[in-house]
Amino acid sequence: AKAAVDIALHDLVGKLMSRPWVDIWGYDAAKAPYTSFTIGIDTGDVVRKKVQEAAEYKVLKVKLGRDNDHEMIETIRSVTDKPLTADANQGWKDRQKALDEVAWLKERNVLFVEQPFPKETPLTEFAWLTERSPLPIMADESCQRLQDVKKLYGAFNGINIKLMKSTGMREAQKMVVLARSLGLKVMLGCMTETSCAISAASHLSPMVDWADLDGALLISNDPFVGTTVVDGKVVISTKPGARITVRP
C-alpha cells in the first residue's frame, strides 16, 4: 500500500516537472541493464519448454532450494548455455553443503546466488559462506528496508532491492545510494507485479549490477502499459513521471 502511494506521487511529480524520474535522479537511461527471466521449479519437459520460450532473454534466473537443484540446472544446460542466476529461496540449511553447491554452480556459468539460507539464520553463517564463496552471495529475503542495508554489510556481497518491500521508489533509491557507498553489489528485483511497479523500478535500473524485472511478463492480466523489454533489455521511456499509463 505504501509503495502504491509512493509510486503515484512520484508519477505526479514527474509529470508536473515534465521529466521522467531517470532524468530527475540524473541517471543515464541508455545504461539500463538486461533483465533476467525466471524459470520456476517444474518437470524437465516444462523447464525445457520455458527456456525455449525465453529465447530473447540473455540471462535466465533459476529457482532452486529443493532436492532437485542439480536436475534443474542440468535440464536448463541441456538446451542453453546462457548465463544463469540462482535463487536458493532460503532452501539450504548446511553451510558446508551450501559452499559445495555454490562451487558446483560456478562451473555451470552461474553469475551469483540469492538468499542461500533462511532469513532467520544468524548473519555469521551468511558471512562464513560469503567469505569463502567463489560467487557473489546476494541478500533477498534478508533485505527489505533501508535500515537493513548497513547491517548486511560483511554478511553478503550485495542486496536485492524490491519496491514492494522498500515501500516504493524513494526508499529504494536511498538503498541504492547506501549500498553503492558500502561497495555492495546491487540487484533490482520484483514480485509478481504489473507494469505499474516494474516501470517505477526501471528508473533505478541504470544504477544496478543486475535486474530481475520480469514480474509483468509472468502475468496475463496486466492493466498497465509502461517500461518495455526489447531483446531482453530494459527500455525506459522518456515520457514524464514514472512512465505508467492504463492499458486501453
Side-chain angles (χ1 to χ4, degrees):
K2 290 180 179 179
V5 174
D6 172 280
I7 292 169
L9 291 174
H10 276 79
D11 190 47
L12 173 62
V13 171
K15 287 173 178 173
L16 291 172
M17 296 175 67
S18 298
R19 296 174 67 193
W21 271 94
V22 68
D23 288 348
I24 295 171
W25 279 324
Y27 304 152
D28 183 355
K31 294 183 178 180
Y34 288 94
T35 178
S36 56
F37 187 85
T38 303
I39 306 297
I41 298 173
D42 216 314
T43 64
D45 288 342
V46 171
V47 168
R48 280 187 286 270
K49 181 180 179 182
K50 288 182 178 179
V51 171
Q52 291 164 350
E53 291 173 349
E56 71 174 286
Y57 298 94
K58 314 303 181 186
V59 181
L60 300 177
K61 176 175 177 175
V62 186
K63 292 286 188 178
L64 301 177
R66 296 186 183 177
D67 56 2
N68 65 337
D69 289 354
H70 287 207
E71 180 184 349
M72 280 290 298
I73 297 295
E74 296 294 2
T75 298
I76 292 171
R77 281 286 167 254
S78 71
V79 290
T80 184
D81 59 357
K82 291 178 182 178
L84 306 176
T85 73
D87 183 0
N89 257 347
Q90 309 181 79
W92 297 343
K93 304 298 189 293
D94 179 80
R95 67 182 189 180
Q96 184 58 54
K97 186 175 186 304
L99 182 59
D100 294 341
E101 289 297 300
V102 175
W104 186 85
L105 291 171
K106 184 179 186 300
E107 297 303 315
R108 283 146 185 86
N109 196 19
V110 172
L111 302 177
F112 61 82
V113 175
E114 285 182 71
Q115 199 68 33
F117 308 132
K119 64 181 180 180
E120 298 82 10
T121 303
L123 290 179
T124 52
E125 293 293 286
F126 288 103
W128 183 94
L129 178 62
T130 296
E131 289 168 4
R132 294 162 177 78
S133 173
L135 293 176
I137 302 298
M138 304 292 290
D140 185 0
E141 283 81 2
S142 292
C143 183
Q144 298 190 37
R145 302 291 303 275
L146 180 64
Q147 67 263 24
D148 296 324
V149 178
K150 193 171 183 179
K151 71 180 182 182
L152 297 177
Y153 175 70
F156 292 88
N157 298 112
I159 60 171
N160 185 358
I161 300 173
K162 297 179 179 178
L163 265 60
M164 296 304 105
K165 296 180 181 180
S166 73
T167 70
M169 298 169 67
R170 178 177 173 82
E171 189 159 322
Q173 194 265 348
K174 290 183 177 181
M175 292 172 73
V176 171
V177 172
L178 178 57
R180 284 297 185 206
S181 72
L182 294 171
L184 292 169
K185 296 285 188 181
V186 180
M187 175 184 178
L188 190 60
C190 64
M191 315 295 277
T192 303
E193 300 168 2
T194 70
S195 290
C196 176
I198 298 299
S199 298
S202 72
H203 290 265
L204 286 165
S205 67
M207 292 298 292
V208 306
D209 298 285
W210 301 291
D212 179 40
L213 296 177
D214 63 346
L217 304 174
L218 304 174
I219 61 175
S220 59
N221 61 340
D222 189 352
F224 298 99
V225 178
T227 290
T228 57
V229 175
V230 179
D231 290 331
K233 183 178 174 63
V234 176
V235 179
I236 307 172
S237 170
T238 57
K239 291 183 178 180
R243 201 298 187 210
I244 303 162
T245 57
V246 177
R247 186 177 299 279

